[in-house]
Amino acid sequence: MDDTVPLKTTPLHDLHLSRGARMVPFAGYDMPVQYPMGVLKEHLHTRTSAGLFDVSHMGQVLLRAKSGRYEDAALALERLVPVDILGLKDGRQRYGFFTDENGGILDDLMITHRGDHLFVVVNAACKDADVAHMKAHLSDTCDIELLEDRALIAVQGPRAHEIVPQMWAGLDAMKFMDMREGPLHDIDCIVSRSGYTGEDGYEISVPAERATELAEIFLSHHACEAIGLGARDSLRLEAGLCLYGNDIDTTTSPIEAGLEWAIQKARRRGGEREGGFPGADRVLAELEDGATRRRVGLKPEGKAPVRPPAKLFADAEGLNEVGHVTSGGFGPTVEGPIAMGYVPTALAAPGTQLFAEVRGKYLPLTVTALPFVTPGYRR
């Protein structure tokens, strides 16, 4: 990042400072990496209780067909993603990704059916490019608006259902990937039951000018603590979730990344709307025939973490390089080092032993099924 460009701040910036957060640059924003509790305790608190995350740096986008019909907006967006959006029910959210002409991943995103239009959440580092991408390809039939006046707050953890629904009767009846729009403490919000930790929880889009007020209400609950980017990263790694720019990018296809579950039958070969998205030939071929490499979980032996971009080898002497690590660190819940990376499909079976190059040594690790922890989603 060009350090001559001033960092942006989220509407919760002053709240982070008041709580003693250590701030770092992230995707062009000044963001909290941890609070006085520390990353380890923040991680474990989220797993056992509830944590509040500021994710206002993410891009919130409205996509509305000029015809006013949801079906037209859905079909338009399907030109850019290999996801069934037309079949998405009102009030439901779905994970997806933009692909390029080579079948690589431009970004991953969340897509919600909001009655007559779509609500799309994209990654912070990609949001300007994503909006430009949508405008370049969809402006003939759709209006695309990046919302600059809203914050995004996530409340995650097994006790999240005690915190958010107390302000809006009925929210606890929501299931994973449901979305509702209405008031929290008289603040108009868009609430989804989703998140990036592997735990139950909610993500709340709120008007920027009232974000701090809402966050402080959540934090006044004895079970809720503010959580920074450090614990957010270790939580998502334990949950086996991809970080764009690390685990997925334009050099990885959705099938290589193990994301074929997000491509519904309607968009596959033989489906009613087969293909029609960038890179479809490659992606559909890999769906049927398999990819030559796969994203896998990795469990290093011992206590030393293995971090990207460590090279992976099939032998302890480092003669046969077979892949690389894309994410890695200490998993507080599993009480040991964990990692993810790409290896040839022939070496992707759980139990396969590999070796990672760390400071000139070749440390043994084992291919492991993902995720590392059992998800706590409310289905």
Side-chain angles (χ1 to χ4, degrees):
M1 184 191 305
D2 184 353
D3 57 13
T4 64
V5 177
L7 291 173
K8 299 177 183 178
T9 59
T10 74
L12 296 181
H13 189 261
D14 289 345
L15 176 66
H16 302 316
L17 298 179
S18 71
R19 289 181 167 264
R22 181 161 72 86
M23 309 297 286
V24 299
F26 181 79
Y29 285 80
D30 194 29
M31 295 294 291
V33 69
Q34 68 177 72
Y35 296 86
M37 180 186 288
V39 173
L40 177 64
K41 290 183 178 179
E42 290 174 26
H43 177 114
L44 295 174
H45 186 86
T46 304
R47 283 274 182 256
T48 58
S49 194
L52 181 143
F53 300 77
D54 179 9
V55 287
S56 305
H57 56 311
M58 307 284 280
Q60 301 179 62
V61 183
L62 297 185
L63 193 152
R64 193 184 306 270
K66 293 177 180 179
S67 68
R69 299 176 69 247
Y70 170 79
E71 292 79 8
D72 293 336
L75 289 171
L77 190 55
E78 284 191 4
R79 285 151 47 187
L80 301 181
V81 300
V83 179
D84 178 7
I85 308 212
L86 184 62
L88 188 60
K89 294 181 179 179
D90 193 357
R92 290 287 291 169
Q93 186 177 67
R94 181 162 280 167
Y95 174 79
F97 27 80
F98 291 127
T99 50
D100 65 17
E101 294 299 331
N102 297 315
I105 300 173
L106 289 169
D107 194 15
D108 60 342
L109 55 149
M110 301 298 291
I111 305 158
T112 305
H113 180 167
R114 285 186 60 198
D116 63 349
H117 67 283
L118 289 162
F119 179 59
V120 181
V121 178
V122 299
N123 283 303
C126 302
K127 65 183 175 183
D128 291 338
D130 288 346
V131 170
H133 182 59
M134 286 188 275
K135 286 184 175 180
H137 294 279
L138 307 182
S139 289
D140 56 336
T141 58
C142 296
D143 294 318
I144 297 103
E145 179 187 3
L146 176 64
L147 300 180
E148 304 279 11
D149 59 350
R150 297 189 74 85
L152 194 62
I153 299 169
V155 180
Q156 299 281 291
R159 299 188 67 183
H161 71 98
E162 300 175 21
I163 298 166
V164 179
Q166 69 176 342
M167 301 171 63
W168 181 357
L171 282 189
D172 196 34
M174 292 174 68
K175 302 297 184 184
F176 182 56
M177 295 297 227
D178 278 352
M179 182 281 298
R180 292 187 183 179
E181 186 172 0
L184 287 177
H185 192 66
D186 83 0
I187 304 171
D188 289 333
C189 295
I190 304 165
V191 182
S192 66
R193 197 155 196 170
S194 58
Y196 191 52
T197 61
E199 295 294 335
D200 182 28
Y202 301 86
E203 291 187 319
I204 304 107
S205 173
V206 54
E209 69 274 10
R210 302 198 68 181
T212 296
E213 176 187 352
L214 186 63
E216 287 180 336
I217 293 171
F218 292 146
L219 290 169
S220 68
H221 193 287
H222 67 278
C224 190
E225 294 285 349
I227 310 295
L229 292 175
R232 178 175 163 86
D233 191 54
S234 57
L235 288 159
R236 71 91 195 166
L237 177 55
E238 285 188 341
L241 300 174
C242 295
L243 174 63
Y244 190 82
N246 283 47
D247 308 294
I248 51 175
D249 56 28
T250 55
T251 70
T252 58
S253 77
I255 315 309
E256 290 177 327
L259 301 175
E260 57 266 32
W261 55 267
I263 304 175
Q264 290 75 32
K265 183 178 179 180
R267 307 303 308 281
R268 300 186 180 206
R269 283 184 178 164
E272 53 265 39
R273 296 185 312 288
E274 172 187 331
F277 55 89
D281 288 347
R282 176 190 178 184
V283 173
L284 297 182
E286 288 185 351
L287 269 171
E288 291 198 338
D289 305 328
T292 58
R293 62 173 188 158
R294 295 284 289 182
R295 177 175 62 95
V296 297
L298 300 164
K299 188 71 175 68
E301 294 183 13
K303 296 182 179 180
V306 177
R307 305 183 189 279
K311 296 177 180 179
L312 296 170
F313 295 85
D315 60 286
E317 294 74 35
L319 300 176
N320 183 15
E321 184 178 340
V322 295
H324 67 285
V325 171
T326 55
S327 286
F330 181 76
T333 311
V334 301
E335 300 181 326
I338 53 175
M340 294 192 298
Y342 284 86
V343 299
T345 301
L347 298 177
T352 302
Q353 185 169 68
L354 299 172
F355 298 85
E357 184 179 12
V358 179
R359 294 187 293 275
K361 296 182 179 180
Y362 299 94
L363 304 183
L365 35 71
T366 303
V367 174
T368 306
L370 293 171
F372 297 99
V373 298
T374 302
Y377 307 131
R378 183 72 66 87
R379 297 192 185 275

